[in-house]
Amino acid sequence: MVHSFPEKSKNVIDYEGGWNPFCIYHGRKGTKGRAQSAMTAYQSNTADSTATSSSIGDIQYPSSWYNADGRLMIKNLSKEELVAWCQSIGEDEKRAYQLWRWMYSDGCWLQNIDDAPAEHVQNGFGKSFREKFHSMATLDGGLELAESVTASDGTVKLGFRVTHGSAVGSTIETVLIPVVREHGSKERITLCVSSQIGCNMGCKFCFTGTMGLWGNLTPGQIVEQAVAAKRYYYQEHQALSVTNVVYMGLGEPFDNLEAVMASIETLLDHHGLHFSHNKVTVSTVGLIPEMKRFLETSKASLAVSLHGATDEVRSSIVPVNKRYPLKDVVSTLKDYFPEGEKKASHVLIEYTMMEGVNDSPEQAEELLKVLEGVKCKINLIVFNPHEGTVYRESPKENVDTFRDILIRGGRVVTVRQSRGEDSMAACGQLGEGKGKRMR
């Protein structure tokens, strides 16, 4: 089922003219931490770091954080950065916390500051501040929800039109994946977000890889996917059930590391989107320097896409293996996830299975050998076909044999069931393909 949204659709939660009970700010102020360092790193290291001064105050931000009118898109800011910006324009930190909760607290997800006027909404914004805010900033996240496509299994693909940045007019995709557990346990909704428009890694089996890289998303555009998905799910189901986030959509997250790190801090903030750090997972194909930085500075979980148990096999389908060979990737994992240490967390190893390529029993045995000393769980992913691919999904008997060898070798193994395949929302199927754009 496809549902298209008008180009100017606001999709604002209906507060029925009064205070929204879901939008309570519980008052305890946040502390400075990795958010500040992540934003500082973004400002100093991002490729488009040409800065523009705020119209009031002397704080500078990357030029990509301003819209075409020169107004600051404040969803790019951490909470601490928002406090600093408010103070630079003559407001106090309470104003920053007020903006923060209206943007991110459950049931709020404000898109336009005029939709929360103090004259009609408790804890809203006065007319003078609204006018001041409009002159220099915006709540626009740089994306516009254009359509939703619901697969037969309940998976929902949200298509966003990019309204800001180097790839204006292109689209990105975000996926809501429902997981209903047995025995009446709580439903889990996993949100798969994109970090880039396209991808520069060129993995041979991935549909996104046919796009090439069109541009990087800003921190605000990544955060906006989570905000819009929460808003969408609440409007459709009257429930607040988006529980997990995986950076496994379009792009290689560590190829846009600064924006990804900054967005994670907003997702984890317990006064905002309040995702648990062990419910947020970032997947990489194995960019070692960026992987080390991530592991040393972020609380989020790591997933590494191996897809091959030898350099020969991996290099044939994952070109970046020629730059960062398998042994170097695994050596890094051994340093950060040593097997045998009780306090050590684990890394998730992702392995997409393709018939006749990497699904043999010999590859399973090699995978056991290469992962010796690494505390990990292994997620086998059955390849999802797409138009133009030369690869085929592994037969069930191959997957079962591969899994059984790993389990006998002492590994915890799961097989990821394909979700959303009939709407091109499954793993490896996201993207517009060569030259295709949303109308």
Side-chain angles (χ1 to χ4, degrees), residues 44-324:
S44 61
N45 295 330
T46 186
D48 62 342
S49 59
T50 303
T52 304
S53 296
S54 173
S55 57
I56 296 180
D58 57 359
I59 301 179
Q60 295 184 335
Y61 302 103
S63 58
S64 61
W65 293 9
Y66 294 83
N67 69 4
D69 299 326
R71 293 188 293 158
L72 179 64
M73 304 171 76
I74 66 170
K75 282 180 179 172
N76 289 298
L77 305 180
S78 70
K79 188 165 59 182
E80 288 74 24
E81 290 276 336
L82 185 58
V83 168
W85 179 77
C86 283
Q87 291 173 338
S88 78
I89 64 170
E91 301 290 330
D92 60 19
E93 63 180 21
K94 291 181 180 179
R95 179 69 76 189
Y97 298 142
Q98 181 188 25
L99 284 165
W100 190 262
R101 74 169 183 262
W102 274 105
M103 286 192 294
Y104 301 130
S105 290
D106 283 343
C108 293
W109 311 307
L110 192 66
Q111 293 177 282
N112 189 320
I113 200 167
D114 288 334
D115 292 324
E119 305 93 281
H120 303 294
V121 179
Q122 186 174 337
N123 298 325
F125 302 94
K127 182 179 180 181
S128 61
F129 177 74
R130 298 200 307 272
E131 292 175 350
K132 179 180 181 180
F133 182 86
H134 277 305
S135 71
M136 64 186 70
T138 176
L139 299 181
D140 181 12
L143 299 176
E144 183 178 75
L145 183 58
E147 69 175 13
S148 65
V149 182
T150 303
S152 57
D153 61 10
T155 298
V156 179
K157 181 169 69 174
L158 302 178
F160 292 93
R161 184 177 292 106
V162 178
T163 60
H164 171 74
S166 59
V168 169
S170 59
T171 61
I172 65 164
E173 294 164 336
T174 303
V175 184
L176 283 162
I177 308 166
V179 179
V180 181
R181 297 171 177 172
E182 297 180 355
H183 308 300
S185 57
K186 187 177 180 180
E187 180 183 47
R188 183 179 81 238
I189 304 293
T190 294
L191 175 66
C192 179
V193 300
S194 296
S195 57
Q196 295 180 302
I197 308 161
C199 184
N200 206 30
M201 298 298 105
C203 295
K204 303 300 184 182
F205 56 89
C206 181
F207 184 69
T208 309
T210 67
M211 294 176 62
L213 181 63
W214 295 7
N216 285 326
L217 296 179
T218 64
Q221 287 172 320
I222 299 174
V223 169
E224 180 67 14
Q225 294 172 67
V227 173
K230 279 198 166 193
R231 184 189 302 117
Y232 172 88
Y233 195 83
Y234 181 79
Q235 290 176 327
E236 294 294 315
H237 303 282
Q238 296 299 299
L240 304 168
S241 296
V242 181
T243 55
N244 297 53
V245 179
V246 293
Y247 285 69
M248 298 180 184
L250 297 176
E252 160 57 52
F254 287 175
D255 196 30
N256 188 20
L257 180 64
E258 313 302 347
V260 166
M261 293 282 284
S263 68
I264 289 172
E265 295 304 326
T266 298
L267 263 61
L268 298 186
D269 187 88
H270 59 285
H271 290 144
L273 293 172
H274 63 82
F275 287 99
S276 169
H277 68 88
N278 56 11
K279 301 293 185 182
V280 176
T281 302
V282 182
S283 176
T284 178
V285 77
L287 306 186
I288 294 176
E290 291 79 7
M291 188 163 64
K292 289 180 178 180
R293 283 190 55 205
F294 171 80
L295 290 170
E296 290 167 2
T297 57
S298 178
K299 284 186 175 181
S301 300
L302 177 70
V304 177
S305 298
L306 289 189
H307 308 312
T310 62
D311 279 323
E312 181 182 5
V313 171
R314 191 168 192 257
S315 293
S316 71
I317 53 179
V318 182
V320 78
N321 191 69
K322 297 172 184 177
R323 186 172 15 145
Y324 299 115

Side-chain angles (χ1 to χ4, degrees), residues 347-362:
V347 60
L348 180 66
I349 300 298
E350 299 173 299
Y351 195 99
T352 299
M353 301 193 64
M354 291 161 278
E355 184 179 15
V357 177
N358 63 353
D359 65 343
S360 68
E362 291 77 18

Side-chain angles (χ1 to χ4, degrees), residues 364 367-368 378 380 402-411 413:
L367 188 59
L368 285 173
I378 301 172
L380 302 180
F402 200 98
R403 178 201 60 200
D404 292 345
I405 291 172
L406 296 178
I407 291 175
R408 286 197 301 270
R411 292 300 182 179
V413 185

